[in-house]
Amino acid sequence: MKLSLNLQILIAALLGVAGGWAVHGWPADSAAVQWSLYSANLIGTLFIDLLKMVMIPLVFCAIVTGIANLRQHSQMNAVWKTTLLFFATTTIIAIVIGLGATHIVQPGAGLHLDMFADAMQQFESKQLTLPEFFTQFLHSIFMNPFKALADGNIIAIVAFALVLGIALVMAADRYTQLLGLFEEGMTVCMQIINWIMRLAPFGIAALLFKLVATQDVGLFATLSKFILLVMGTTLLHGLVVLPALLYLLTGKRPLWFLRNAREALLTAFATSSSNATMPVTMRCTTQNMQVKPEIAGFVVPLGATVNMDGTALYEASAALFVAQLAGIDLSLGQQLVVCFTTMIAAMGAPGIPSAGMVTMVMVLQSVGLPAEAIAILLPVDRLLDTVRTAVNVEGDMIGSLVVQHVTASNSSS
């Protein structure tokens, strides 16, 4: 009996984790470990590179055709409003969960910044004020589209595709051939993704093998309380809050969603990249969940750029954790500043080197916390990134389902 792709990916993920755990205790310089890590890195990198290869043309064609085709249903305004409202709501909920749980659990209690003095001294943070961040952010949005395509600058590609899609809408039926070209381009990209997904079990197993085999268990013990808190709250948001919103707003059952979203969630967990996972997210959303291509083509790429529930929760919790390490009690006003800055930072800043670290530094600096303390988080960031990326991708898919349901209800009424 031939196993389904979903089951193949799940089995591969479990084998990758088990293999990495088995190799973890072996001498790092042994030939067997070196060869296995090299092989895993080769296979995992190949899988990610194949996804990235198709990601840029897929995003561009999906947004252009999504915007242009929405005009036929008179849904453009409803899609815009519903998408942005849903993304903003879930991000705020995630930040509140992160701050609230960190207040209650106090993961920084008993630890001190002195314990991490060496790491902090070796870390050099790029200082970036909020006005500088906005300047860099806007500069990264509006740029030469060909340079953006060549550099893989997702947010700039999204911006230009939005403008081009709106231009096709305003032109009515004058450029039907151009629109048809983009529609055929999206169809071809989806076919290529179906081919790439045949390699997904091998790629995901290799990525998880490397992740587990190379992690520092000793550091995890020191920061275990913070790690468990972030993972627990992120899973709470991903397994309870988002599915509950899906059920309340659309009537879709959480188990139905998880069954159809499994490929994308496991790929996001293994790659820790919303952008690299985007082709798989589009595949699950349009083929498995039957979301209209014009809806998914707008919501998913936009969500992969600006909708980062897991990242927002993590950065808010991390800021409070650092404050506890430093023995600083943040006032209510300072925590509101953290909320606002985290929402901005979670949108990401393509074009800035080490964008994730820079935005985390910005959150810390917004309330006067030591930016160098981010060095404490760097060693465990890769592990935490797996779960929060999966939740980020989950939010994009649920957003697509919610937007389709709400706009369909509005149009029928």
Side-chain angles (χ1 to χ4, degrees):
M1 183 179 69
K2 186 177 180 181
L3 299 177
S4 67
L5 181 60
N6 270 336
L7 191 55
Q8 290 178 42
I9 291 174
L10 182 60
I11 293 172
L14 295 174
L15 290 175
V17 171
W21 186 260
V23 170
H24 193 86
W26 295 6
D29 56 352
S30 69
V33 172
Q34 294 293 325
W35 182 85
S36 60
L37 287 177
Y38 170 77
S39 302
N41 183 64
L42 184 67
I43 296 170
T45 302
L46 175 63
F47 177 60
I48 293 176
D49 288 343
L50 286 171
L51 289 174
K52 287 182 176 179
M53 176 187 72
V54 75
M55 175 189 67
I56 299 300
L58 172 66
V59 170
F60 189 73
C61 293
I63 291 185
V64 171
T65 56
I67 291 292
N69 287 328
L70 283 175
R71 61 173 181 169
Q72 300 171 4
H73 307 283
S74 302
Q75 294 176 338
M76 187 175 292
N77 289 334
V79 169
W80 269 97
K81 293 173 183 177
T82 307
T83 301
L84 295 179
L85 179 61
F86 180 80
F87 286 169
T89 301
T90 57
T91 301
I92 291 171
I93 292 173
I95 292 171
V96 170
I97 290 174
L99 287 175
T102 309
H103 260 300
I104 296 169
V105 177
Q106 298 281 317
L111 297 178
H112 305 284
L113 287 177
D114 296 342
M115 296 173 60
F116 309 97
D118 291 340
M120 289 172 61
Q121 287 175 1
Q122 295 170 7
F123 178 76
E124 294 182 4
S125 62
K126 180 176 178 180
Q127 307 299 308
L128 198 67
T129 64
L130 192 59
E132 289 173 340
F133 174 82
F134 272 117
T135 302
Q136 292 260 25
F137 184 65
L138 291 174
H139 179 68
S140 68
I141 293 177
F142 303 106
M143 61 185 300
N144 184 329
F146 295 102
K147 185 177 188 304
L149 289 167
D151 293 344
N153 187 334
I154 290 294
I155 198 166
I157 294 168
V158 168
F160 181 71
L162 286 171
V163 173
L164 183 57
I166 293 170
L168 289 175
V169 170
M170 300 300 291
D173 296 326
R174 279 182 288 171
Y175 303 118
T176 53
Q177 290 183 330
L178 183 59
L179 177 58
L181 178 65
F182 286 125
E183 289 175 339
E184 291 178 2
M186 183 175 171
T187 302
V188 170
C189 287
M190 294 303 295
Q191 178 60 56
I192 295 173
I193 292 165
N194 289 335
W195 294 341
I196 295 172
M197 287 307 296
R198 295 179 184 178
L199 301 175
F202 303 100
I204 288 173
L207 289 166
L208 291 177
F209 174 89
K210 180 184 175 185
L211 173 66
V212 175
T214 56
Q215 292 303 297
D216 184 353
V217 178
L219 186 63
F220 290 169
T222 305
L223 297 175
S224 58
K225 201 172 182 181
F226 175 69
I227 293 171
L228 291 173
L229 172 73
V230 172
M231 283 199 163
T233 50
T234 306
L235 289 173
L236 172 68
H237 187 75
L239 296 178
V240 178
V241 175
L242 289 177
L245 287 174
L246 175 68
Y247 183 73
L248 290 173
L249 296 173
T250 70
K252 301 287 186 184
R253 297 187 177 276
L255 288 178
W256 172 87
F257 170 79
L258 291 173
R259 185 171 61 250
N260 288 297
R262 191 185 303 162
E263 293 173 25
L265 295 178
L266 285 172
T267 304
F269 183 88
T271 62
S272 295
S273 172
S274 298
N275 288 340
T277 308
M278 200 187 309
V280 189
T281 309
M282 286 289 295
R283 181 180 186 273
C284 290
T285 307
T286 56
Q287 295 183 9
N288 296 356
M289 302 180 199
Q290 302 300 309
V291 175
K292 295 177 182 177
E294 59 266 26
I295 300 286
F298 172 75
V299 178
V300 170
L302 185 65
T305 307
V306 302
N307 181 45
M308 301 286 178
D309 291 358
T311 302
L313 188 154
Y314 165 72
E315 292 192 348
S317 183
L320 209 54
F321 172 65
V322 170
Q324 292 167 4
L325 289 177
I328 299 172
D329 285 328
L330 298 181
S331 66
L332 179 60
Q334 288 175 312
Q335 291 180 46
L336 291 175
V337 170
V338 168
C339 289
F340 172 75
T341 313
T342 300
M343 285 190 68
I344 301 298
M347 294 172 63
I352 302 175
S354 301
M357 293 302 100
V358 172
T359 54
M360 188 68 236
V361 169
M362 188 182 74
V363 173
L364 295 176
Q365 289 182 330
S366 67
V367 287
L369 294 172
E372 293 75 17
I374 198 175
I376 302 166
L377 307 172
L378 286 174
V380 299
D381 184 72
R382 178 66 180 85
L383 176 67
L384 297 176
D385 201 16
T386 57
V387 180
R388 68 175 183 257
T389 302
V391 171
N392 290 343
V393 169
E394 179 189 5
D396 300 339
M397 290 187 285
I398 288 179
S400 297
L401 289 165
V402 169
V403 170
Q404 173 162 281
H405 181 81
V406 171
T407 53
S409 300
N410 291 342
S411 62
S412 61
S413 59

